Amino acid sequence: IEFTANFLADGSYRINVVQCRPFQAKGGGHIVAPPGPVAAEDIVLRTQGAVIGPSMAAPVGRLICVMPSAYGQLPLAERYSVARLIGRLTCLEPRPEGALLLAGPGRWGTAEPALGVPVCFAEISRVTALCEIIEMREGLVPDVSLGTHFFNDLVETQVLYLALVPGREGNFLNVDLIEGAPNRLPELLPNDACWARVVRVIDPAFLPGGQSLRLYADALRQSALCYFVR
């Protein structure tokens, strides 16, 4: 519920509802906990709170991550180029088996590139899970959108939505792990290799040592965890 409150001179007030939308939490069957404790160096991301959509326990075939610090330094005009690049990445064929996890700073679908990545829903409609990282750069922390820019589309396509707030208890983004993993962007889209510092594409099938990537999300318990299994 979004509302305004106007306080009048006589001490009374008036509340006006601006918008009201239902947030569904549909069960996806029994979600088992990850087997035993997960080492911190194997965790890609973890969030506690703002888990909206279908619960799931699934292997991740591809992780696309827009790095908050690098994206936050881009001129606003170049951020539209990143949004178009995301659309090309999510539509690539053949796509790896498993979930497609997309993570990035600020509000996905915002009309203001200063607040997030200005994609349209068609450019991200094929993702399995969408994560908003509530961080842009030092001194700028955009508000979480909770998927409201295309809420009905998220519900209809059963896209899992996550919000991750670095620094908040129960939330963690392993930047070193993501930046240290091989980035397949130059191989998949050679003409877009210049964006490799900003957009990282990790395919577990191409990692050394037979690693796999798993995503566990429980909408009822409001918790999610993505981590490597070595």
Side-chain angles (χ1 to χ4, degrees):
I1 298 175
E2 184 178 356
F3 65 90
T4 62
N6 297 299
F7 296 90
L8 307 179
D10 61 2
S12 62
Y13 59 88
R14 176 174 296 171
I15 294 178
N16 295 290
V17 175
V18 178
Q19 60 177 330
C20 179
R21 297 174 177 172
F23 278 170
Q24 300 184 27
K26 295 184 178 180
H30 179 63
I31 303 300
V32 297
V38 179
E41 60 267 23
D42 290 334
I43 296 175
V44 177
L45 63 85
R46 178 179 61 218
T47 181
Q48 189 72 42
V51 178
I52 301 170
S55 298
M56 67 175 61
V60 175
R62 174 167 291 166
L63 166 64
I64 302 173
C65 185
V66 180
M67 305 307 293
S69 58
Y71 184 80
Q73 299 301 322
L74 292 178
L76 295 184
E78 293 186 6
R79 299 185 186 188
Y80 291 100
S81 298
V82 173
R84 305 294 82 79
L85 169 58
I86 295 301
R88 292 192 290 275
L89 282 171
T90 61
C91 292
L92 279 177
E93 293 291 353
R95 58 180 294 177
E97 293 186 9
L100 174 56
L101 173 58
L102 175 61
R107 303 177 173 190
W108 286 104
T110 178
E112 299 291 338
L115 300 178
V117 185
V119 294
C120 63
F121 185 74
E123 291 172 313
I124 62 170
S125 62
R126 300 184 66 185
V127 306
T128 310
L130 181 67
C131 179
E132 288 188 348
I133 304 169
I134 312 307
E135 180 181 48
M136 188 72 70
R137 56 177 170 79
E138 186 176 353
L140 176 59
V141 180
D143 291 333
V144 62
S145 75
L146 296 176
T148 52
H149 291 102
F150 24 63
F151 175 74
N152 289 333
D153 295 307
L154 292 177
V155 172
E156 290 298 323
T157 54
Q158 289 289 282
V159 174
L160 173 67
Y161 165 87
L162 312 172
L164 191 156
V165 187
R168 177 180 292 179
E169 183 178 359
N171 290 243
F172 176 64
L173 178 68
N174 197 331
V175 175
D176 292 338
L177 180 59
I178 296 173
E179 292 183 339
N183 187 359
R184 296 204 66 216
L185 174 61
E187 177 185 351
L188 295 171
L189 296 173
N191 292 335
D192 293 308
C194 59
W195 297 107
R197 185 179 65 89
V198 181
V199 179
R200 304 200 62 85
V201 181
I202 300 174
D203 286 355
F206 288 82
L207 295 177
Q211 302 177 68
S212 62
L213 189 60
R214 301 284 301 180
L215 174 63
Y216 283 82
D218 191 329
L220 296 180
R221 293 183 175 86
Q222 288 290 283
S223 63
L225 176 68
C226 180
Y227 68 96
F228 280 111
V229 178
R230 301 185 184 275

